[in-house]
Amino acid sequence: MTSASNSVGIVAPKTAHFKQPFKVSCGRELPSLDIVYETYGELNAEHSNAVLVCHALSGDHHAAGYHSAEDKKPGWWDNYIGPGKAIDTNHFYVVSLNNIGGCAGSTGPSTINPETNEPWGPDFPTLRVRDWVETQRMLADSLAIEQWAAVIGGSLGGMQAMRWALEYPDRLRHCVVIASALKLTAQNIAFNKTSRTAISSDPDFHEGRYYQHNTLPKSGLAIARMIGHITYLSDGVMGEKFGRDLRSGTFEQGVESELEFQVESYLRYQGDIFSENFDANTYMLMTKALDYFDLAREYDNDAVKAFSAAKCRFLVVSFTSDWRFSPERSREIVKALIGAEKSVSYAEVDAALGHDSFLLPVERYNNLFTAYMQKVAQEQSQGDNHAT
Amino acid sequence: MRHDLVTLNQWIDTGSRVLDLGCGEGILLKHLVDNKAVRGLGVEIDADNITRCIAKGLNVIEQDLDNGLSNFADNSFDTVLLTQTLQAVRRPDYVLQEMLRVGKECIITFPNFGHWQVRLYLMLRGKMPVSKMMPYHWYDTPNIHFCTVKDFELLCKRQDIKILHRTVQAAQGIDEKTKTPHWYNKLWPNFLGAHAIYHVTR
């Protein structure tokens, strides 16, 4: 999908410093904050074309383009951000950040705690999705963005987008929620718990103080990633991609050899890469934020009541083969939005790639996402005309 | 403008809440949003139609009518529309009940299987009618529940559904001079009307 003409090209991350203490929803304080972010496209004179992209569990600020000419892989949502793509950077000014608690430069567990001069590690305050929304709001203020044309996110990112609509109803015109949920199911929490247990039982984890021990809980993190990967794909797509193909060894009788299925090799590779590039404490913290999220908790557990204050329009998308954030979860979002008499469109995209579909090129998803964002761009330019 | 739109227009209040079941590519809903300022929501099952609705800036929900309308609250819409779709659902009686639970009033349009041309086709050729209006064969048609004007009214009676208005239009549409259905359609609707349009309530 990416070629020179529809890529945002080479991009460089920026850092916003916030010197004042940040009050976390758990009651504790972070003395200061760094937020690393990237932007694509140009902010217009009216500041009305800004789009916020919220990342999911293992994402970061690098959503599109390349960091250098040698970079092999573009940002995580390059399929959908760029000139002429669904989030068209010819129209929109896209802001993508690394959430706090992350491990790609923003203040997180691997940052030095100024009080102890040691990395925060497991002592980093427990975060909720609302803390990310609050810090995203601070970033918006610093960029002089009064109102987002759209706040967009998939999975955990969709939860942030919905929280925006509730916390700051006047500060977004559209909310795009992809493969997300009002709250996780018990099965989903169970998967996250299993992943966290894999990490915490790695002897190199040292209860989260592995920085001080100069170790990394690589095997635990790799297992966590493997579990995640299996659940983000579908049975169908794994069968199609790997089947029972062997990478090495043979089943020939009379020959005893070391056997490895292609799927084993693939998971091992994915686990290894991830364990070298991701912080275990961030993984613990992010999965907990996912587990704790419940959009309607503060609204008498009534999602209709929760959405009643929202003023933006909504697009909700799910994927048929996604069993981690199934279409049923998205239908719950849509039902609540209809109940609250909000503007909502919903599509259940037939895609074989499971939860990961939201990141990957899927024709129908691309078409409807593009059509929706084109309307957002149109009304924005009409609005600008009215203003002048 | 589509002939049935002229008729529908007069039964829908400006600024009211309208649910359009089987909204297709959203032509009717877009018309009502633009001309009647309705707060409209479409329900559709076809992927391309959903994208076309979104491209028009309409609200549209992907949903199979055969699975019911349980995600819609009682009386949450002023008018629920079902145009040229009744004959394609698995349980028209159930869909009608659901429509009247969700909407205060409902508008239903369907091709009248009692039209003289249909009757003649069946009588003379002994085959299921295929025409411009009913272009499918019996084995590949999505229209699994054709009915006549008389059938529909019997169902309404059985379900205690009150008919507020009924209009039938001939295949050639409405009288261009008066913008109303030809006078003769009213004479013998189940025989002369090709399209039936009903405005009903509980």
PDB file of all heavy atoms in Angstrom, chain A residues 313 315 334-335 338 341 343-348 364 367-368 371-372 375, chain B residues 17 39 41 47 50-51 54-62 70-72:
ATOM      1  N   ARG A 313     -20.070  13.011  16.638  1.00  0.00           N
ATOM      2  CA  ARG A 313     -20.622  11.893  15.875  1.00  0.00           C
ATOM      3  C   ARG A 313     -19.672  10.703  16.011  1.00  0.00           C
ATOM      4  O   ARG A 313     -18.475  10.884  16.216  1.00  0.00           O
ATOM      5  CB  ARG A 313     -20.786  12.280  14.402  1.00  0.00           C
ATOM      6  CG  ARG A 313     -21.752  13.436  14.225  1.00  0.00           C
ATOM      7  CD  ARG A 313     -21.979  13.755  12.767  1.00  0.00           C
ATOM      8  NE  ARG A 313     -22.698  12.669  12.106  1.00  0.00           N
ATOM      9  CZ  ARG A 313     -23.136  12.744  10.851  1.00  0.00           C
ATOM     10  NH1 ARG A 313     -22.927  13.828  10.135  1.00  0.00           N
ATOM     11  NH2 ARG A 313     -23.782  11.730  10.306  1.00  0.00           N
ATOM     12  N   LEU A 315     -18.248   6.810  14.628  1.00  0.00           N
ATOM     13  CA  LEU A 315     -18.148   5.681  13.695  1.00  0.00           C
ATOM     14  C   LEU A 315     -17.592   4.514  14.495  1.00  0.00           C
ATOM     15  O   LEU A 315     -16.543   4.636  15.143  1.00  0.00           O
ATOM     16  CB  LEU A 315     -17.207   5.995  12.517  1.00  0.00           C
ATOM     17  CG  LEU A 315     -16.899   4.805  11.602  1.00  0.00           C
ATOM     18  CD1 LEU A 315     -18.153   4.334  10.860  1.00  0.00           C
ATOM     19  CD2 LEU A 315     -15.807   5.149  10.590  1.00  0.00           C
ATOM     20  N   VAL A 334     -22.682   0.468  20.108  1.00  0.00           N
ATOM     21  CA  VAL A 334     -23.655   1.055  19.182  1.00  0.00           C
ATOM     22  C   VAL A 334     -25.036   1.141  19.827  1.00  0.00           C
ATOM     23  O   VAL A 334     -25.724   2.161  19.728  1.00  0.00           O
ATOM     24  CB  VAL A 334     -23.710   0.232  17.870  1.00  0.00           C
ATOM     25  CG1 VAL A 334     -24.825   0.720  16.968  1.00  0.00           C
ATOM     26  CG2 VAL A 334     -22.371   0.295  17.156  1.00  0.00           C
ATOM     27  N   LYS A 335     -25.416   0.082  20.528  1.00  0.00           N
ATOM     28  CA  LYS A 335     -26.722   0.061  21.192  1.00  0.00           C
ATOM     29  C   LYS A 335     -26.828   1.217  22.198  1.00  0.00           C
ATOM     30  O   LYS A 335     -27.852   1.903  22.258  1.00  0.00           O
ATOM     31  CB  LYS A 335     -26.934  -1.283  21.901  1.00  0.00           C
ATOM     32  CG  LYS A 335     -28.308  -1.420  22.527  1.00  0.00           C
ATOM     33  CD  LYS A 335     -28.514  -2.773  23.174  1.00  0.00           C
ATOM     34  CE  LYS A 335     -29.902  -2.801  23.821  1.00  0.00           C
ATOM     35  NZ  LYS A 335     -30.189  -4.078  24.475  1.00  0.00           N
ATOM     36  N   ILE A 338     -27.177   4.512  20.318  1.00  0.00           N
ATOM     37  CA  ILE A 338     -28.535   4.689  19.790  1.00  0.00           C
ATOM     38  C   ILE A 338     -29.468   5.070  20.932  1.00  0.00           C
ATOM     39  O   ILE A 338     -30.282   5.985  20.820  1.00  0.00           O
ATOM     40  CB  ILE A 338     -29.033   3.402  19.079  1.00  0.00           C
ATOM     41  CG1 ILE A 338     -28.217   3.130  17.824  1.00  0.00           C
ATOM     42  CG2 ILE A 338     -30.520   3.511  18.733  1.00  0.00           C
ATOM     43  CD1 ILE A 338     -28.483   1.763  17.194  1.00  0.00           C
ATOM     44  N   GLU A 341     -29.380   8.518  21.778  1.00  0.00           N
ATOM     45  CA  GLU A 341     -29.765   9.345  20.622  1.00  0.00           C
ATOM     46  C   GLU A 341     -28.594  10.101  20.015  1.00  0.00           C
ATOM     47  O   GLU A 341     -28.709  11.278  19.660  1.00  0.00           O
ATOM     48  CB  GLU A 341     -30.902  10.311  21.001  1.00  0.00           C
ATOM     49  CG  GLU A 341     -32.146   9.584  21.481  1.00  0.00           C
ATOM     50  CD  GLU A 341     -33.383  10.469  21.522  1.00  0.00           C
ATOM     51  OE1 GLU A 341     -33.343  11.580  20.959  1.00  0.00           O
ATOM     52  OE2 GLU A 341     -34.395  10.032  22.092  1.00  0.00           O
ATOM     53  N   SER A 343     -25.487  10.452  17.050  1.00  0.00           N
ATOM     54  CA  SER A 343     -25.222  10.120  15.648  1.00  0.00           C
ATOM     55  C   SER A 343     -24.201   9.002  15.599  1.00  0.00           C
ATOM     56  O   SER A 343     -23.085   9.155  16.094  1.00  0.00           O
ATOM     57  CB  SER A 343     -24.627  11.333  14.935  1.00  0.00           C
ATOM     58  OG  SER A 343     -25.637  12.178  14.503  1.00  0.00           O
ATOM     59  N   VAL A 344     -24.579   7.883  15.014  1.00  0.00           N
ATOM     60  CA  VAL A 344     -23.630   6.764  14.961  1.00  0.00           C
ATOM     61  C   VAL A 344     -23.805   5.968  13.680  1.00  0.00           C
ATOM     62  O   VAL A 344     -24.907   5.758  13.203  1.00  0.00           O
ATOM     63  CB  VAL A 344     -23.782   5.843  16.206  1.00  0.00           C
ATOM     64  CG1 VAL A 344     -25.203   5.374  16.404  1.00  0.00           C
ATOM     65  CG2 VAL A 344     -22.843   4.627  16.117  1.00  0.00           C
ATOM     66  N   SER A 345     -22.669   5.555  13.120  1.00  0.00           N
ATOM     67  CA  SER A 345     -22.658   4.587  12.035  1.00  0.00           C
ATOM     68  C   SER A 345     -21.852   3.388  12.501  1.00  0.00           C
ATOM     69  O   SER A 345     -20.893   3.530  13.262  1.00  0.00           O
ATOM     70  CB  SER A 345     -22.030   5.175  10.768  1.00  0.00           C
ATOM     71  OG  SER A 345     -22.941   6.057  10.155  1.00  0.00           O
ATOM     72  N   TYR A 346     -22.265   2.220  12.028  1.00  0.00           N
ATOM     73  CA  TYR A 346     -21.583   0.988  12.465  1.00  0.00           C
ATOM     74  C   TYR A 346     -21.405   0.040  11.302  1.00  0.00           C
ATOM     75  O   TYR A 346     -22.334  -0.204  10.542  1.00  0.00           O
ATOM     76  CB  TYR A 346     -22.394   0.304  13.564  1.00  0.00           C
ATOM     77  CG  TYR A 346     -21.885  -1.078  13.912  1.00  0.00           C
ATOM     78  CD1 TYR A 346     -20.587  -1.255  14.388  1.00  0.00           C
ATOM     79  CD2 TYR A 346     -22.686  -2.213  13.756  1.00  0.00           C
ATOM     80  CE1 TYR A 346     -20.109  -2.517  14.696  1.00  0.00           C
ATOM     81  CE2 TYR A 346     -22.218  -3.485  14.072  1.00  0.00           C
ATOM     82  CZ  TYR A 346     -20.931  -3.634  14.544  1.00  0.00           C
ATOM     83  OH  TYR A 346     -20.455  -4.882  14.841  1.00  0.00           O
ATOM     84  N   ALA A 347     -20.209  -0.505  11.172  1.00  0.00           N
ATOM     85  CA  ALA A 347     -19.944  -1.513  10.144  1.00  0.00           C
ATOM     86  C   ALA A 347     -19.248  -2.711  10.771  1.00  0.00           C
ATOM     87  O   ALA A 347     -18.356  -2.563  11.607  1.00  0.00           O
ATOM     88  CB  ALA A 347     -19.080  -0.934   9.031  1.00  0.00           C
ATOM     89  N   GLU A 348     -19.705  -3.887  10.354  1.00  0.00           N
ATOM     90  CA  GLU A 348     -19.128  -5.145  10.836  1.00  0.00           C
ATOM     91  C   GLU A 348     -18.394  -5.748   9.648  1.00  0.00           C
ATOM     92  O   GLU A 348     -18.999  -6.359   8.783  1.00  0.00           O
ATOM     93  CB  GLU A 348     -20.292  -6.034  11.282  1.00  0.00           C
ATOM     94  CG  GLU A 348     -19.952  -6.999  12.357  1.00  0.00           C
ATOM     95  CD  GLU A 348     -21.220  -7.571  12.989  1.00  0.00           C
ATOM     96  OE1 GLU A 348     -21.920  -6.825  13.693  1.00  0.00           O
ATOM     97  OE2 GLU A 348     -21.510  -8.744  12.755  1.00  0.00           O
ATOM     98  N   ARG A 364     -12.665  -3.367   2.386  1.00  0.00           N
ATOM     99  CA  ARG A 364     -13.936  -2.753   2.780  1.00  0.00           C
ATOM    100  C   ARG A 364     -13.745  -1.754   3.918  1.00  0.00           C
ATOM    101  O   ARG A 364     -14.325  -0.662   3.922  1.00  0.00           O
ATOM    102  CB  ARG A 364     -14.928  -3.840   3.211  1.00  0.00           C
ATOM    103  CG  ARG A 364     -16.241  -3.226   3.567  1.00  0.00           C
ATOM    104  CD  ARG A 364     -17.255  -4.147   4.151  1.00  0.00           C
ATOM    105  NE  ARG A 364     -18.309  -3.313   4.723  1.00  0.00           N
ATOM    106  CZ  ARG A 364     -19.135  -3.690   5.657  1.00  0.00           C
ATOM    107  NH1 ARG A 364     -19.081  -4.912   6.122  1.00  0.00           N
ATOM    108  NH2 ARG A 364     -20.035  -2.856   6.126  1.00  0.00           N
ATOM    109  N   ASN A 367     -12.297   1.359   2.544  1.00  0.00           N
ATOM    110  CA  ASN A 367     -13.286   2.153   1.797  1.00  0.00           C
ATOM    111  C   ASN A 367     -14.198   2.950   2.720  1.00  0.00           C
ATOM    112  O   ASN A 367     -14.449   4.136   2.495  1.00  0.00           O
ATOM    113  CB  ASN A 367     -14.151   1.242   0.917  1.00  0.00           C
ATOM    114  CG  ASN A 367     -13.378   0.682  -0.251  1.00  0.00           C
ATOM    115  OD1 ASN A 367     -12.263   1.134  -0.538  1.00  0.00           O
ATOM    116  ND2 ASN A 367     -13.920  -0.333  -0.902  1.00  0.00           N
ATOM    117  N   LEU A 368     -14.717   2.287   3.742  1.00  0.00           N
ATOM    118  CA  LEU A 368     -15.692   2.999   4.573  1.00  0.00           C
ATOM    119  C   LEU A 368     -15.010   3.999   5.489  1.00  0.00           C
ATOM    120  O   LEU A 368     -15.547   5.082   5.750  1.00  0.00           O
ATOM    121  CB  LEU A 368     -16.588   2.018   5.339  1.00  0.00           C
ATOM    122  CG  LEU A 368     -16.065   1.248   6.536  1.00  0.00           C
ATOM    123  CD1 LEU A 368     -16.405   1.971   7.836  1.00  0.00           C
ATOM    124  CD2 LEU A 368     -16.703  -0.124   6.561  1.00  0.00           C
ATOM    125  N   ALA A 371     -14.313   6.929   3.290  1.00  0.00           N
ATOM    126  CA  ALA A 371     -15.549   7.680   3.014  1.00  0.00           C
ATOM    127  C   ALA A 371     -15.929   8.530   4.219  1.00  0.00           C
ATOM    128  O   ALA A 371     -16.323   9.699   4.081  1.00  0.00           O
ATOM    129  CB  ALA A 371     -16.685   6.714   2.666  1.00  0.00           C
ATOM    130  N   TYR A 372     -15.808   7.958   5.404  1.00  0.00           N
ATOM    131  CA  TYR A 372     -16.175   8.692   6.625  1.00  0.00           C
ATOM    132  C   TYR A 372     -15.258   9.903   6.815  1.00  0.00           C
ATOM    133  O   TYR A 372     -15.729  11.019   7.057  1.00  0.00           O
ATOM    134  CB  TYR A 372     -16.114   7.766   7.847  1.00  0.00           C
ATOM    135  CG  TYR A 372     -16.718   8.388   9.090  1.00  0.00           C
ATOM    136  CD1 TYR A 372     -18.078   8.289   9.349  1.00  0.00           C
ATOM    137  CD2 TYR A 372     -15.930   9.086  10.001  1.00  0.00           C
ATOM    138  CE1 TYR A 372     -18.642   8.870  10.479  1.00  0.00           C
ATOM    139  CE2 TYR A 372     -16.486   9.671  11.132  1.00  0.00           C
ATOM    140  CZ  TYR A 372     -17.845   9.557  11.368  1.00  0.00           C
ATOM    141  OH  TYR A 372     -18.396  10.142  12.485  1.00  0.00           O
ATOM    142  N   LYS A 375     -15.925  12.833   4.567  1.00  0.00           N
ATOM    143  CA  LYS A 375     -17.034  13.679   5.034  1.00  0.00           C
ATOM    144  C   LYS A 375     -16.561  14.607   6.150  1.00  0.00           C
ATOM    145  O   LYS A 375     -16.952  15.769   6.210  1.00  0.00           O
ATOM    146  CB  LYS A 375     -18.202  12.816   5.540  1.00  0.00           C
ATOM    147  CG  LYS A 375     -19.035  12.154   4.475  1.00  0.00           C
ATOM    148  CD  LYS A 375     -19.557  13.108   3.427  1.00  0.00           C
ATOM    149  CE  LYS A 375     -20.766  13.899   3.861  1.00  0.00           C
ATOM    150  NZ  LYS A 375     -21.334  14.669   2.719  1.00  0.00           N
TER     151      LYS A 375
ATOM    152  N   ARG B  17     -37.734  11.934  14.277  1.00  0.00           N
ATOM    153  CA  ARG B  17     -36.743  10.843  14.269  1.00  0.00           C
ATOM    154  C   ARG B  17     -37.228   9.729  13.345  1.00  0.00           C
ATOM    155  O   ARG B  17     -38.334   9.196  13.532  1.00  0.00           O
ATOM    156  CB  ARG B  17     -36.549  10.275  15.683  1.00  0.00           C
ATOM    157  CG  ARG B  17     -35.772  11.167  16.605  1.00  0.00           C
ATOM    158  CD  ARG B  17     -35.146  10.327  17.725  1.00  0.00           C
ATOM    159  NE  ARG B  17     -33.807   9.879  17.354  1.00  0.00           N
ATOM    160  CZ  ARG B  17     -33.158   8.882  17.959  1.00  0.00           C
ATOM    161  NH1 ARG B  17     -33.726   8.201  18.920  1.00  0.00           N
ATOM    162  NH2 ARG B  17     -31.943   8.562  17.581  1.00  0.00           N
ATOM    163  N   ARG B  39     -33.968  13.570  11.915  1.00  0.00           N
ATOM    164  CA  ARG B  39     -32.804  12.924  12.516  1.00  0.00           C
ATOM    165  C   ARG B  39     -32.910  11.454  12.121  1.00  0.00           C
ATOM    166  O   ARG B  39     -33.706  10.696  12.675  1.00  0.00           O
ATOM    167  CB  ARG B  39     -32.830  13.116  14.030  1.00  0.00           C
ATOM    168  CG  ARG B  39     -32.519  14.571  14.419  1.00  0.00           C
ATOM    169  CD  ARG B  39     -32.686  14.774  15.900  1.00  0.00           C
ATOM    170  NE  ARG B  39     -34.068  14.612  16.300  1.00  0.00           N
ATOM    171  CZ  ARG B  39     -34.464  14.255  17.538  1.00  0.00           C
ATOM    172  NH1 ARG B  39     -33.574  14.034  18.465  1.00  0.00           N
ATOM    173  NH2 ARG B  39     -35.738  14.153  17.829  1.00  0.00           N
ATOM    174  N   LEU B  41     -31.712   7.521  10.873  1.00  0.00           N
ATOM    175  CA  LEU B  41     -30.778   6.411  11.046  1.00  0.00           C
ATOM    176  C   LEU B  41     -31.195   5.301  10.089  1.00  0.00           C
ATOM    177  O   LEU B  41     -32.374   4.939  10.034  1.00  0.00           O
ATOM    178  CB  LEU B  41     -30.814   5.911  12.500  1.00  0.00           C
ATOM    179  CG  LEU B  41     -29.945   4.694  12.842  1.00  0.00           C
ATOM    180  CD1 LEU B  41     -28.465   4.981  12.608  1.00  0.00           C
ATOM    181  CD2 LEU B  41     -30.157   4.286  14.300  1.00  0.00           C
ATOM    182  N   ALA B  47     -22.625  -4.380   2.307  1.00  0.00           N
ATOM    183  CA  ALA B  47     -21.386  -3.647   2.610  1.00  0.00           C
ATOM    184  C   ALA B  47     -21.232  -2.390   1.746  1.00  0.00           C
ATOM    185  O   ALA B  47     -20.929  -1.308   2.259  1.00  0.00           O
ATOM    186  CB  ALA B  47     -20.189  -4.564   2.424  1.00  0.00           C
ATOM    187  N   ILE B  50     -23.640   0.362   2.675  1.00  0.00           N
ATOM    188  CA  ILE B  50     -23.265   1.024   3.931  1.00  0.00           C
ATOM    189  C   ILE B  50     -22.205   2.096   3.656  1.00  0.00           C
ATOM    190  O   ILE B  50     -22.314   3.222   4.144  1.00  0.00           O
ATOM    191  CB  ILE B  50     -22.778  -0.019   4.966  1.00  0.00           C
ATOM    192  CG1 ILE B  50     -23.977  -0.851   5.447  1.00  0.00           C
ATOM    193  CG2 ILE B  50     -22.077   0.655   6.146  1.00  0.00           C
ATOM    194  CD1 ILE B  50     -23.626  -2.094   6.209  1.00  0.00           C
ATOM    195  N   THR B  51     -21.224   1.754   2.850  1.00  0.00           N
ATOM    196  CA  THR B  51     -20.192   2.744   2.508  1.00  0.00           C
ATOM    197  C   THR B  51     -20.807   3.931   1.765  1.00  0.00           C
ATOM    198  O   THR B  51     -20.443   5.084   2.011  1.00  0.00           O
ATOM    199  CB  THR B  51     -19.077   2.086   1.662  1.00  0.00           C
ATOM    200  OG1 THR B  51     -18.514   1.023   2.438  1.00  0.00           O
ATOM    201  CG2 THR B  51     -17.985   3.075   1.311  1.00  0.00           C
ATOM    202  N   ILE B  54     -22.465   6.162   4.227  1.00  0.00           N
ATOM    203  CA  ILE B  54     -21.454   6.915   4.987  1.00  0.00           C
ATOM    204  C   ILE B  54     -20.902   8.055   4.130  1.00  0.00           C
ATOM    205  O   ILE B  54     -20.711   9.172   4.614  1.00  0.00           O
ATOM    206  CB  ILE B  54     -20.341   5.964   5.490  1.00  0.00           C
ATOM    207  CG1 ILE B  54     -20.890   5.109   6.646  1.00  0.00           C
ATOM    208  CG2 ILE B  54     -19.099   6.735   5.929  1.00  0.00           C
ATOM    209  CD1 ILE B  54     -19.979   4.017   7.131  1.00  0.00           C
ATOM    210  N   ALA B  55     -20.712   7.775   2.846  1.00  0.00           N
ATOM    211  CA  ALA B  55     -20.207   8.816   1.939  1.00  0.00           C
ATOM    212  C   ALA B  55     -21.201   9.971   1.798  1.00  0.00           C
ATOM    213  O   ALA B  55     -20.818  11.091   1.475  1.00  0.00           O
ATOM    214  CB  ALA B  55     -19.895   8.212   0.574  1.00  0.00           C
ATOM    215  N   LYS B  56     -22.480   9.677   2.049  1.00  0.00           N
ATOM    216  CA  LYS B  56     -23.500  10.740   2.000  1.00  0.00           C
ATOM    217  C   LYS B  56     -23.604  11.459   3.341  1.00  0.00           C
ATOM    218  O   LYS B  56     -24.416  12.382   3.489  1.00  0.00           O
ATOM    219  CB  LYS B  56     -24.874  10.139   1.650  1.00  0.00           C
ATOM    220  CG  LYS B  56     -25.010   9.647   0.213  1.00  0.00           C
ATOM    221  CD  LYS B  56     -26.449   9.177  -0.043  1.00  0.00           C
ATOM    222  CE  LYS B  56     -26.663   8.777  -1.489  1.00  0.00           C
ATOM    223  NZ  LYS B  56     -26.255   7.379  -1.768  1.00  0.00           N
ATOM    224  N   GLY B  57     -22.844  11.014   4.315  1.00  0.00           N
ATOM    225  CA  GLY B  57     -22.890  11.643   5.629  1.00  0.00           C
ATOM    226  C   GLY B  57     -24.058  11.164   6.479  1.00  0.00           C
ATOM    227  O   GLY B  57     -24.400  11.778   7.481  1.00  0.00           O
ATOM    228  N   LEU B  58     -24.665  10.023   6.084  1.00  0.00           N
ATOM    229  CA  LEU B  58     -25.810   9.497   6.834  1.00  0.00           C
ATOM    230  C   LEU B  58     -25.342   8.611   7.977  1.00  0.00           C
ATOM    231  O   LEU B  58     -24.252   8.052   7.927  1.00  0.00           O
ATOM    232  CB  LEU B  58     -26.700   8.664   5.892  1.00  0.00           C
ATOM    233  CG  LEU B  58     -27.364   9.412   4.742  1.00  0.00           C
ATOM    234  CD1 LEU B  58     -27.973   8.417   3.757  1.00  0.00           C
ATOM    235  CD2 LEU B  58     -28.444  10.350   5.277  1.00  0.00           C
ATOM    236  N   ASN B  59     -26.186   8.481   8.985  1.00  0.00           N
ATOM    237  CA  ASN B  59     -25.943   7.500  10.032  1.00  0.00           C
ATOM    238  C   ASN B  59     -26.532   6.176   9.574  1.00  0.00           C
ATOM    239  O   ASN B  59     -27.717   6.099   9.240  1.00  0.00           O
ATOM    240  CB  ASN B  59     -26.627   7.918  11.336  1.00  0.00           C
ATOM    241  CG  ASN B  59     -26.025   9.177  11.908  1.00  0.00           C
ATOM    242  OD1 ASN B  59     -24.814   9.371  11.833  1.00  0.00           O
ATOM    243  ND2 ASN B  59     -26.855  10.033  12.472  1.00  0.00           N
ATOM    244  N   VAL B  60     -25.702   5.132   9.597  1.00  0.00           N
ATOM    245  CA  VAL B  60     -26.180   3.831   9.144  1.00  0.00           C
ATOM    246  C   VAL B  60     -25.574   2.737  10.016  1.00  0.00           C
ATOM    247  O   VAL B  60     -24.416   2.811  10.413  1.00  0.00           O
ATOM    248  CB  VAL B  60     -25.846   3.603   7.640  1.00  0.00           C
ATOM    249  CG1 VAL B  60     -24.353   3.626   7.398  1.00  0.00           C
ATOM    250  CG2 VAL B  60     -26.457   2.314   7.125  1.00  0.00           C
ATOM    251  N   ILE B  61     -26.398   1.752  10.344  1.00  0.00           N
ATOM    252  CA  ILE B  61     -25.977   0.653  11.206  1.00  0.00           C
ATOM    253  C   ILE B  61     -26.027  -0.642  10.410  1.00  0.00           C
ATOM    254  O   ILE B  61     -27.031  -0.919   9.770  1.00  0.00           O
ATOM    255  CB  ILE B  61     -26.971   0.490  12.399  1.00  0.00           C
ATOM    256  CG1 ILE B  61     -27.107   1.773  13.196  1.00  0.00           C
ATOM    257  CG2 ILE B  61     -26.582  -0.675  13.289  1.00  0.00           C
ATOM    258  CD1 ILE B  61     -25.903   2.141  13.976  1.00  0.00           C
ATOM    259  N   GLU B  62     -24.962  -1.408  10.472  1.00  0.00           N
ATOM    260  CA  GLU B  62     -24.982  -2.716   9.817  1.00  0.00           C
ATOM    261  C   GLU B  62     -25.706  -3.705  10.718  1.00  0.00           C
ATOM    262  O   GLU B  62     -25.303  -3.951  11.839  1.00  0.00           O
ATOM    263  CB  GLU B  62     -23.551  -3.206   9.565  1.00  0.00           C
ATOM    264  CG  GLU B  62     -23.535  -4.597   8.941  1.00  0.00           C
ATOM    265  CD  GLU B  62     -22.233  -4.920   8.259  1.00  0.00           C
ATOM    266  OE1 GLU B  62     -21.398  -4.018   8.088  1.00  0.00           O
ATOM    267  OE2 GLU B  62     -22.051  -6.086   7.880  1.00  0.00           O
ATOM    268  N   SER B  70     -33.849  -5.640  18.625  1.00  0.00           N
ATOM    269  CA  SER B  70     -33.782  -5.570  20.087  1.00  0.00           C
ATOM    270  C   SER B  70     -32.863  -4.456  20.586  1.00  0.00           C
ATOM    271  O   SER B  70     -32.946  -4.065  21.745  1.00  0.00           O
ATOM    272  CB  SER B  70     -33.333  -6.912  20.655  1.00  0.00           C
ATOM    273  OG  SER B  70     -32.049  -7.223  20.172  1.00  0.00           O
ATOM    274  N   ASN B  71     -31.995  -3.960  19.723  1.00  0.00           N
ATOM    275  CA  ASN B  71     -31.107  -2.861  20.145  1.00  0.00           C
ATOM    276  C   ASN B  71     -31.797  -1.493  20.071  1.00  0.00           C
ATOM    277  O   ASN B  71     -31.176  -0.483  20.379  1.00  0.00           O
ATOM    278  CB  ASN B  71     -29.817  -2.854  19.313  1.00  0.00           C
ATOM    279  CG  ASN B  71     -30.062  -2.890  17.828  1.00  0.00           C
ATOM    280  OD1 ASN B  71     -31.078  -3.408  17.379  1.00  0.00           O
ATOM    281  ND2 ASN B  71     -29.165  -2.326  17.053  1.00  0.00           N
ATOM    282  N   PHE B  72     -33.055  -1.476  19.669  1.00  0.00           N
ATOM    283  CA  PHE B  72     -33.801  -0.214  19.631  1.00  0.00           C
ATOM    284  C   PHE B  72     -34.890  -0.227  20.712  1.00  0.00           C
ATOM    285  O   PHE B  72     -35.617  -1.200  20.846  1.00  0.00           O
ATOM    286  CB  PHE B  72     -34.445  -0.004  18.255  1.00  0.00           C
ATOM    287  CG  PHE B  72     -33.450   0.135  17.140  1.00  0.00           C
ATOM    288  CD1 PHE B  72     -33.130  -0.952  16.344  1.00  0.00           C
ATOM    289  CD2 PHE B  72     -32.822   1.347  16.908  1.00  0.00           C
ATOM    290  CE1 PHE B  72     -32.195  -0.832  15.313  1.00  0.00           C
ATOM    291  CE2 PHE B  72     -31.889   1.480  15.884  1.00  0.00           C
ATOM    292  CZ  PHE B  72     -31.577   0.386  15.090  1.00  0.00           C
TER     293      PHE B  72
END
